[in-house]
C-alpha cells in the first residue's frame, strides 16, 4: 500500500480545482481504523464544508430494471427505439454527445474490441464503459487509481469476464485484463452510488480520489451530498471535529440495525466493524433493511 505522503502528492497532481486549496481543512495520514485516513488540520464546526471532490472515474452501474436507453456520456433519457451509437460501438448515445471528444475515444476503444451485436442494447457492454474509461487514463491518473484500496474478492473478475463474451476481439493481454480486473475491485471497494441528475433513473458509480479514502464509522462525524450538475461530492461536518481527529463517513445507512450493517460491510467491503455501536447488545437487530 502506497504511503500517505505519496498518495497526497498523487491526489494533488490529479485533483480538480475543488481540492486545490491554499490552506486545506484535511490531510492524509495513517489511520487507527484501517490503512490510511483523512484528518482534520484544524477545529471544524458542525455544518462546515470540509472539502468538495470531483470524480476521477464515473459511469453506469446498472441493475436489471435500469432503462438502457440512457446516454452514457450525459445520462439523458433517449428515444427508446433509436438510441445506440451509429458508429457501431454498442453504447447508448445522444446526438450532442456523439460529437464530444470523450465519446470519440470511448467509441474507438469499443469498436476495436468489435461488439458481437453493436445494434442490440446489452447491459454487460453498457456497464463495462465505467471500467473501460480507466483504459484512457494518463500515467498520473493510472498511478492514482492503483494507489487506491482494492479488496481482492474473486467474484469481481466476473464483471470483466462476462462482458468479454460480448466482443469478438476483447483484450487477452494479461496486463490489460489484470488492469481491468483491478479497476473493478477498486470501484467495488471505494466508489459511491450517485443518481443521474437527468431524471432517467440511471444509477452511476463514482470514484473520488479523496472521498474514496475516508474510513467507515457507524456513527460518523460527517455527512455528504452530491452536486446534481457535475456529481461533485460535498463533505460537511455532522458534528464539531477537533484538529487531528480522523474524518469518517458511514458506508451503510445510519438507521440500519447492527445485523444489517454487519452483513452489508462483510459482503461489500470485506470487513467486520467492531465499533461501540456494533458491540452494543441492547441495540435491536430487527430494524428493517432501509434503502
Amino acid at each position: 500500500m502506497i504511503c500517505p505522503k505519496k498518495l497526497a502528492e498523487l491526489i494533488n497532481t490529479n485533483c480538480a480545482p475543488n481540492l486545490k486549496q491554499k490552506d486545506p481543512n484535511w490531510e492524509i495520514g495513517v489511520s487507527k481504523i484501517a490503512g490510511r485516513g483523512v484528518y482534520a488540520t484544524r477545529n471544524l464546526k458542525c455544518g462546515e464544508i470540509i472539502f468538495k471532490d470531483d470524480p476521477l472515474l464515473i459511469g453506469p452501474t446498472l441493475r436489471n430494471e435500469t432503462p438502457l436507453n440512457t446516454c452514457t456520456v450525459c445520462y439523458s433519457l433517449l428515444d427508446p427505439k433509436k438510441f445506440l451509437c451509429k458508429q457501431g460501438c454498442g453504447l447508448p448515445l445522444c446526438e450532442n454527445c456523439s460529437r464530444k471528444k470523450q465519446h470519440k475515444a470511448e467509441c474507438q476503444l469499443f469498436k476495436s474490441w468489435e461488439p458481437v451485436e453493436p445494434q442490440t442494447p446489452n447491459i454487460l457492454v453498457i456497464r463495462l464503459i465505467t471500467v473501460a474509461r480507466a483504459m484512457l487514463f494518463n500515467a498520473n491518473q493510472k498511478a492514482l487509481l492503483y494507489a487506491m484500496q482494492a479488496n481482492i474478492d474473486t467474484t469481481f473478475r466476473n464483471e470483466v469476464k462476462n462482458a468479454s463474451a460480448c466482443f469478438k476481439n476483447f483484450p487477452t493481454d494479461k496486463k490489460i485484463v489484470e488492469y481491468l480486473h483491478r479497476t473493478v475491485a477498486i470501484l467495488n471497494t471505494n466508489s459511491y452510488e450517485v443518481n443521474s441528475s437527468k431524471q432517467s433513473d440511471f444509477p452511476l458509480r463514482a470514484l473520488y480520489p479523496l472521498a474514496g479514502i475516508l474510513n467507515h464509522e457507524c456513527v460518523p462525524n460527517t455527512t455528504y451530498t452530491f452536486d446534481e450538475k457535475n456529481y461533485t461530492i460535498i463533505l460537511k461536518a455532522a458534528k464539531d471535529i477537533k484538529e487531528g481527529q480522523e474524518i469518517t463517513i458511514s458506508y451503510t445507512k445510519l438507521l440500519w440495525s447492527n445485523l444489517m450493517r454487519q452483513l452489508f460491510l462483510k459482503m461489500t467491503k470485506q470487513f467486520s466493524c467492531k465499533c461501540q455501536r456494533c458491540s452494543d447488545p441492547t441495540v435491536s437487530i430487527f430494524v428493517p433493511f432501509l434503502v
Side-chain angles (χ1 to χ4, degrees):
M1 182 181 294
I2 193 169
C3 70
K5 182 178 179 181
K6 181 61 177 177
L7 178 57
E9 291 174 355
L10 286 170
I11 290 176
N12 185 60
T13 300
N14 292 278
C15 70
N18 274 325
L19 284 181
K20 291 186 181 295
Q21 304 170 357
K22 293 182 179 180
D23 186 22
N25 300 331
W26 54 271
E27 63 181 0
I28 300 172
V30 177
S31 172
K32 293 181 180 179
I33 299 174
R36 302 157 304 194
V38 182
Y39 290 84
T41 56
R42 62 174 177 80
N43 291 336
L44 302 171
K45 293 293 184 180
C46 179
E48 183 175 351
I49 293 177
I50 302 173
F51 62 73
K52 296 180 180 181
D53 195 7
D54 295 310
L56 173 69
L57 185 63
I58 188 170
T61 182
L62 295 187
R63 304 184 186 91
N64 290 333
E65 69 275 14
T66 303
L68 300 185
N69 57 316
T70 306
C71 179
T72 49
V73 177
C74 72
Y75 312 118
S76 58
L77 202 60
L78 308 173
D79 186 319
K81 296 181 180 179
K82 297 180 180 180
F83 59 84
L84 292 175
C85 176
K86 297 177 182 178
Q87 301 301 316
C89 68
L91 296 172
L93 191 71
C94 70
E95 188 64 31
N96 289 336
C97 291
S98 66
R99 296 185 288 270
K100 291 184 178 180
K101 183 178 179 181
Q102 175 187 338
H103 176 69
K104 289 181 179 180
E106 295 171 357
C107 185
Q108 183 177 3
L109 178 64
F110 269 43
K111 285 198 298 181
S112 71
W113 293 349
E114 298 183 41
V116 175
E117 297 180 294
Q119 297 307 320
T120 302
N122 188 320
I123 192 171
L124 297 176
V125 172
I126 298 171
R127 180 178 169 86
L128 184 67
I129 188 59
T130 310
V131 182
R133 281 172 175 159
M135 294 280 293
L136 303 174
F137 279 178
N138 60 39
N140 284 330
Q141 290 172 321
K142 288 181 178 179
L144 176 56
L145 183 71
Y146 259 81
M148 303 191 77
Q149 179 70 27
N151 294 328
I152 307 300
D153 181 349
T154 54
T155 58
F156 75 90
R157 293 179 175 270
N158 291 335
E159 181 170 341
V160 175
K161 180 181 178 181
N162 294 338
S164 68
C166 303
F167 298 88
K168 299 176 183 178
N169 190 34
F170 197 79
T172 56
D173 183 277
K174 289 184 178 180
K175 289 185 178 180
I176 294 177
V177 173
E178 190 56 38
Y179 178 71
L180 292 172
H181 284 324
R182 184 170 177 86
T183 301
V184 173
I186 291 169
L187 282 167
N188 289 347
T189 304
N190 306 285
S191 67
Y192 292 70
E193 183 168 301
V194 187
N195 290 325
S196 167
S197 61
K198 299 296 183 178
Q199 298 181 341
S200 59
D201 195 27
F202 203 58
L204 308 174
R205 45 182 170 174
L207 183 67
Y208 296 91
L210 185 59
I213 303 169
L214 295 169
N215 278 313
H216 166 82
E217 279 191 327
C218 289
V219 184
N221 54 23
T222 68
T223 184
Y224 60 87
T225 56
F226 297 100
D227 186 308
E228 293 185 354
K229 293 183 179 180
N230 51 20
Y231 305 107
T232 297
I233 188 171
I234 304 168
L235 189 78
K236 293 183 179 181
K239 60 181 75 172
D240 289 349
I241 302 174
K242 294 181 179 180
E243 179 180 351
Q245 184 177 350
E246 183 165 0
I247 298 167
T248 59
I249 62 168
S250 176
Y251 298 166
T252 70
K253 301 291 185 181
L254 294 178
L255 295 181
W256 284 357
S257 67
N258 283 358
L259 177 60
M260 299 315 302
R261 294 198 316 278
Q262 289 288 1
L263 286 174
F264 178 84
L265 292 172
K266 191 65 177 178
M267 291 172 61
T268 63
K269 305 298 182 181
Q270 286 79 53
F271 77 89
S272 297
C273 184
K274 303 183 185 301
C275 72
Q276 184 176 357
R277 183 183 178 192
C278 287
S279 303
D280 187 350
T282 66
V283 176
S284 171
I285 64 171
F286 299 108
V287 176
F289 196 107
L290 301 178
V291 293

